[in-house]
Amino acid sequence: MNYLKQLVLFIAIAAASAQDCQSPTYNFRTHSNLDTKLELGMQEGVEVGRYAVTNTKSATTSNEYLEVTVDNDQLVFTVKKQFEEYEKNEHGLKFAMVIQFNCNSGTISGTYYQDIMEVNKYTPEFSLGVYEATVPLPLPKNFDLTPFLDGSKGITATDYDLSRNTVEFKLAPNDYLQVESLPVEGSAKQFKAVLKLKEQILKLPGDIELELEGTDQGDPARTGRSRVVIKPDLTIEYNDPPAFKRTFFQEDYNPELGNSFVVELVPGTAHADVRYELVGDDARYFALSVVADKTAATVRLEKQSHPAGKYFLSVVVQAKRSELQTAECVILVDLKEPHELGTTVEQVLSTLHLEERRTHEEVFPAKVRDCSYEIVSQVPNKSESIFSVDETTGWVVSSKFDREDPDLFADVEEPQFHIVLQLNCANDSPKVSKNYSLDDIPYATDITHLRILVDDINDNAPVFQHPKNRDRVFAFPDPTIAERLMINSLMRVSATDLDAGLNAEIRFRLDSNECFDIHPKSGVIYPTGNCFEDRNPVILTIFATDRDGDADGNVSRMMIRVVQAMMYQIIVLHPMNVTLETLGEFVQMLEAKSGLRIVIFDNAIMRRELYETQPLEVAITVAAVAFNSAGELISTGDFINALGETSSFYVKTLSELLNCDLYPESACSVYPYIVVMSVFIVLFVASLALVAYFYFKLRQYSVPAESLQTEPSLKSEEILVDNPVLGTFSTPPTERRDIAGATEDYSSDSISRRNRLVRNLSDLMIIDESEESHRRDSVPEVSTSPQRRKSIRFNEEVERIETL
């Protein structure tokens, strides 16, 4: 008896749920229009979606791009006027709209997702057609001209396309300007061109006019053009720096009259603010006098004004207008007669270039007539000398050295040697060694400084910095999931080369495959097709070639394995108080705690939030996967178990945030069959309800008299269906909590068996539980008046069972 009563109650509740908004093709909670992609520029009123619905009265939305209406039994989506300006205001290829549905049994709130067709529609648009700048001169190398362009705004170009709208700027070939492309902070569509001087400019022959191009990354690429005009500021007078007509004087000492030197400036470089000065250790032995118009100066060495024991006196005459405008003239006075001086060095300073990683047999001649050089200093140096004098050949020679030796050249900015040679003759007295520096090279008759620059050879191959050798397994999701998470690349490869110049320019490529390709300079690997239909991993071979990919460049190779990331393997990290800058530290903490390798999907920054109630708290949401020590992807549940219970605060599954109907997973493909089966179940239980109804009606008139004395009478106040929770619930059902890795279970104390059945059925019928709970809470208590005869019937809305 009680079983039949409960069955009837179950039938009634199932029939009541059938009055909610329903559709065989539209999911009222979360629906993605996979059949139609909106084309930019669609006209107002164009229909983009139509779905058959029942029990749906109306639909409303606040979305400004699409209109949703209910036309009889059809749910219709049409384009609004504002969609014509979509790309001017938005930057995503998908948008979501929240819809409020008015059903026969109440209201339901759902989300509708709409994709936008990717197309390179717009050409980069410069803020001005012509950029003019009037600049003061002189200007130093790498000077940024932005403050002089467009009222200090600089050069900007806007590309309104929704994807691949990065603008790269290019100048026509010229000798003056170079351009750098940068994004405008806070804008996803605007980019700026930074113009800088290639070299220091003292004067301009006239106006400089160049064409500037801005090219996006679309397919095909579009190019916008503008002109740049640079004019010198004629209100600022520029004077040429001082320059001596003659920069070196050498004379023998005149013991009778002394020596006098007239240094003159080149016409046009002499100015009233020029200052003359004598510089050097021997400057105190010379006297300086300057003519009134600053065009020349006289330097005198008086007789018998020099110390004994010196062979030469040298002084530098400087003519200065500023620290950047200085001219120098060297004066050298030979104090002894040539026959008294003996053999002297032929060069005071010599600069040479030597190639690395080979011996050199003729670096510098070590013989000067009857005298020979010895090496008194060489920097840098190892324990064994690199440079030495070969007495047999009479040359300074070298052993092999490596330009990339970190110990040898650790203290120098540019790999080079400084060698000091001292000339020794047979009749010379012993020399006293001292420290020598390239910063201060005074003239001496027996000292020669060698500055040896090390030329690079291509003796090093590129070294991969990312990925590391231990991290060679990566994951990429199904294309549908990748599109919704906006994952457009697998990873970014990086490599370095110890060589210099062209020998260190690296170009990347992949072996031939139909799945992925790589940008040759940036190293970004991006998908070209879906290769995971058979669920087999994809093996990629990455090549890095120096000399910018030239045929004679050194090649390094690395192989990686790419596996498909299933929906249950994608981890959603939602840490608090972690920024994009500190995300790496947070991931390292998780790896240390779990013992797993975590890989963040490239560009999968799904959300960044700043909480209004607690302004200091910032949260970001990113998608990732985790690999175990065997290089296998693990499920989100196993990842949570590895971290412990506290991980539920910042780790979730992807299915908790996105309804699986958005993804063509096998687990989601049974949804249509569930709907069909649910309809048959409702029809079946409705038939059982009719059978039970007539059964009780017949039994009402066929009960024996003796049974009326032992069993409750149909005319009494006893309710046929004995269910203590038929009336208003005193304790509503426990609210569903979304906790990753947890399952729901309700005790018999908190929710009855009938409610558990309703919850399972409502899940199958996609009924909003909050609405269902609200309706159950509003069921009035059943009247138990003794004057009314009790029987069972369904009311119009099938919301409850009434007894009569």
Side-chain angles (χ1 to χ4, degrees), residues 509-522:
R509 66 178 178 89
L510 288 179
D511 61 344
S512 178
N513 72 94
E514 299 179 354
C515 307
F516 294 90
D517 203 351
I518 189 171
H519 190 280
K521 297 303 293 182
S522 66

Side-chain angles (χ1 to χ4, degrees), residues 170-177 198 208-211 213:
K170 181 181 179 181
L171 273 174
N174 68 97
D175 297 330
Y176 300 99
L177 300 177
K198 289 183 177 180
I208 301 175
E209 184 170 347
L210 300 171
E211 183 179 66
E213 295 181 350

Side-chain angles (χ1 to χ4, degrees), residues 643-711:
L643 289 177
E645 297 180 357
T646 58
S647 64
S648 61
F649 294 105
Y650 52 82
V651 179
K652 294 184 182 299
T653 63
L654 185 61
S655 59
E656 289 182 277
L657 300 184
L658 303 174
N659 188 285
C660 74
D661 289 327
L662 293 176
Y663 308 96
E665 295 282 333
S666 58
C668 300
S669 61
V670 300
Y671 167 70
Y673 303 101
I674 294 176
V675 174
V676 175
M677 291 301 296
S678 300
V679 174
F680 281 106
I681 291 174
V682 171
L683 294 177
F684 175 71
V685 297
S687 301
L688 289 180
L690 293 176
V691 173
Y693 171 74
F694 288 110
Y695 170 77
F696 284 115
K697 292 289 285 186
L698 292 174
R699 194 171 181 276
Q700 172 182 348
Y701 301 104
S702 61
V703 177
E706 59 272 16
S707 67
L708 294 176
Q709 299 175 0
T710 59
E711 294 183 2

Side-chain angles (χ1 to χ4, degrees), residues 456-522:
D456 181 56
I457 65 172
N458 193 22
D459 59 332
N460 291 279
V463 178
F464 285 98
Q465 302 299 314
H466 180 76
K468 298 292 187 183
N469 288 334
R470 60 181 179 84
D471 301 333
R472 293 198 177 187
V473 183
F474 293 85
F476 198 80
D478 180 271
T480 308
I481 301 177
E483 179 182 0
R484 279 149 182 80
L485 296 183
M486 292 181 287
I487 304 174
N488 51 27
S489 61
L490 173 67
M491 60 178 291
R492 183 186 294 270
V493 178
S494 62
T496 58
D497 195 309
L498 293 177
D499 294 318
L502 180 62
N503 292 335
E505 289 290 331
I506 298 174
R507 183 174 289 267
F508 300 99
R509 66 178 178 89
L510 288 179
D511 61 344
S512 178
N513 72 94
E514 299 179 354
C515 307
F516 294 90
D517 203 351
I518 189 171
H519 190 280
K521 297 303 293 182
S522 66

Side-chain angles (χ1 to χ4, degrees), residues 142 144 147 379 391 505 543 559 618 663 722:
N142 294 324
D144 186 356
V379 178
E391 300 293 343
E505 289 290 331
F543 298 92
M559 299 182 65
V618 177
Y663 308 96
D722 185 12

